[in-house]
Amino acid sequence: MKSSSVLSIGELSDRTGLSVSAIRFYEEKGLVHPIRNAGGQRRFLRSDIRRLSFVLVAQEFGFSISEIADQLKQLPEGRAPTKADWTRISREFRAHLDARIEKMIRLRDKLDGCIGCGCLSMKSCALYNAGDAAARHGRGPRYLMGDTSDAV
Amino acid sequence: MKSSSVLSIGELSDRTGLSVSAIRFYEEKGLVHPIRNAGGQRRFLRSDIRRLSFVLVAQEFGFSISEIADQLKQLPEGRAPTKADWTRISREFRAHLDARIEKMIRLRDKLDGCIGCGCLSMKSCALYNAGDAAARHGRGPRYLMGDTSDAV
DNA sequence: ATAATTCCTCAAGTAAAGTTGAGGTCAATA
DNA sequence: TATTGACCTCAACTTTACTTGAGGAATTAT
């Protein structure tokens, strides 16, 4: 527990709130690159606290680990990211988030129409095509509207 | 391919766009309850088309299979759901969706503040607490703000 | 009647994001 | 110095939502 310029994995765990196993997993996925001391134990830079915090925030924004790894590859390794770095990345976050919000709002609008009609009939209900067809490539109803014989 | 009042699994697959294996999987999860013919093959009611379509829509709204199974348990088995059924369920959908949208909009607001400041410093950045702390119980930064020695 | 489909079950595989455990080593402390 | 606590690797397990494959039976089409 001596507080030197580098951190053990346990110290990093305490500082980030991540479990030790999660940090090892993130190393495996290329999110952090600790060095090893003489005894083979991981030693992290203090800047890795910020790096892992970035991971947590990015996950909150809906990015996968591999997407986050790609974003981190564009960030400096041992020093703080520049304002330009952050501007670029935050724009990506914003676009990602906007798209998700818009999709959900479209869905909500269709649902509102459908609460009113209460049909659920498959004949014309907007909900049965509500999703972004392109967003779920390969799955979902192909021609649900073909169900012409159903009462209600 | 004779068009009788019941459907084979392949016919149901054609009508819903779901794969045959997915329909079997959904049966296993309790979403549909086909009967068997003399030869042991599954026979579905025509109303199961609507039932499975409901599953697809509910997934679009972010419900898990087991949550959908719970909702379907409250629906009539061989006949069409009533308007009251649909009203109750669509309110649940709406609440679920509203919560997700609100969470993302809060996140977006914080991001906007953060694009302006460009700090990423951990000292005061709103993003590092942006998520619904209660929504990710058991994970996430516990006291990231303790990182007091970092430049930038 | 026979071939071609479709269907059956059951086991295993896939991806994501980690966790858990076994067996053993390193480091800080009394 | 001895011991406790932190760390190491590697393999296997967890969950969700399915898919894939093997080996075989039922149905449909010719």
Side-chain angles (χ1 to χ4, degrees):
Chain A
M1 258 186 209
K2 68 187 176 99
S3 133
S4 76
S5 67
V6 290
L7 303 170
S8 71
I9 197 167
E11 287 166 336
L12 187 57
S13 169
D14 288 344
R15 298 303 290 273
T16 59
L18 287 165
S19 70
V20 167
S21 67
I23 296 173
R24 292 204 188 102
F25 176 77
Y26 289 161
E27 178 190 3
E28 198 183 311
K29 294 298 175 184
L31 303 186
V32 276
H33 308 287
I35 55 174
R36 301 299 176 117
N37 73 357
Q41 297 193 352
R42 290 170 181 82
R43 290 300 175 250
F44 295 86
L45 298 174
R46 298 186 66 73
S47 58
D48 286 330
I49 298 170
R50 213 192 295 92
R51 211 171 163 87
L52 289 183
S53 305
F54 176 85
V55 171
L56 289 164
V57 171
Q59 281 188 312
E60 205 67 24
F61 279 87
F63 291 99
S64 69
I65 295 287
S66 76
E67 288 171 325
I68 296 169
D70 289 343
Q71 291 175 328
L72 284 175
K73 271 176 204 141
Q74 303 174 260
L75 281 184
E77 190 60 50
R79 69 168 177 78
T82 65
K83 181 152 184 168
D85 290 326
W86 173 241
T87 299
R88 176 179 45 69
I89 284 178
S90 54
R91 277 204 223 296
E92 283 180 52
F93 280 11
R94 174 78 203 226
H96 200 79
L97 198 54
D98 282 351
R100 288 204 295 158
I101 289 173
E102 268 170 43
K103 183 182 171 185
M104 287 199 285
I105 286 178
R106 277 200 304 276
L107 195 55
R108 182 166 68 181
D109 288 346
K110 292 192 177 172
L111 179 59
D112 282 347
C114 208
I115 290 174
C117 86
C119 67
L120 203 72
S121 83
M122 308 259 48
K123 286 193 186 134
S124 57
C125 182
L127 283 176
Y128 293 107
N129 268 337
D132 241 356
R136 328 175 287 185
H137 36 266
R139 273 190 56 264
R142 282 192 296 260
Y143 49 98
L144 279 173
M145 302 314 165
D147 182 24
T148 55
S149 65
D150 252 323
V152 165
Chain B
M1 257 183 209
K2 68 188 177 97
S3 131
S4 76
S5 67
V6 291
L7 304 170
S8 71
I9 196 166
E11 288 165 336
L12 187 58
S13 169
D14 288 344
R15 299 301 291 275
T16 60
L18 288 165
S19 69
V20 166
S21 66
I23 296 173
R24 291 203 189 102
F25 175 77
Y26 288 161
E27 179 189 4
E28 198 183 312
K29 295 297 175 184
L31 304 186
V32 276
H33 307 288
I35 54 174
R36 301 300 176 118
N37 73 357
Q41 298 195 350
R42 289 170 181 83
R43 290 301 176 248
F44 296 85
L45 298 173
R46 299 186 66 73
S47 58
D48 286 330
I49 297 170
R50 212 191 299 90
R51 214 171 160 86
L52 288 182
S53 306
F54 176 85
V55 170
L56 289 163
V57 171
Q59 281 187 313
E60 205 67 24
F61 280 87
F63 291 99
S64 69
I65 296 287
S66 75
E67 289 170 325
I68 296 169
D70 290 342
Q71 291 175 327
L72 284 175
K73 271 175 205 141
Q74 304 175 260
L75 281 185
E77 191 60 50
R79 69 169 175 77
T82 65
K83 180 152 184 170
D85 291 325
W86 172 241
T87 300
R88 175 178 45 69
I89 284 179
S90 54
R91 276 204 223 295
E92 282 181 50
F93 279 10
R94 173 76 203 228
H96 200 81
L97 198 54
D98 281 352
R100 288 205 296 159
I101 289 174
E102 268 170 43
K103 182 181 172 184
M104 288 200 283
I105 286 178
R106 279 199 304 275
L107 196 54
R108 180 164 71 181
D109 289 345
K110 292 192 178 172
L111 179 59
D112 283 346
C114 206
I115 290 174
C117 84
C119 65
L120 204 71
S121 82
M122 310 259 48
K123 285 190 186 137
S124 58
C125 183
L127 283 177
Y128 294 107
N129 268 338
D132 240 354
R136 330 175 284 184
H137 36 265
R139 273 189 57 264
R142 284 190 294 261
Y143 49 98
L144 279 173
M145 301 315 163
D147 182 24
T148 55
S149 66
D150 253 322
V152 165

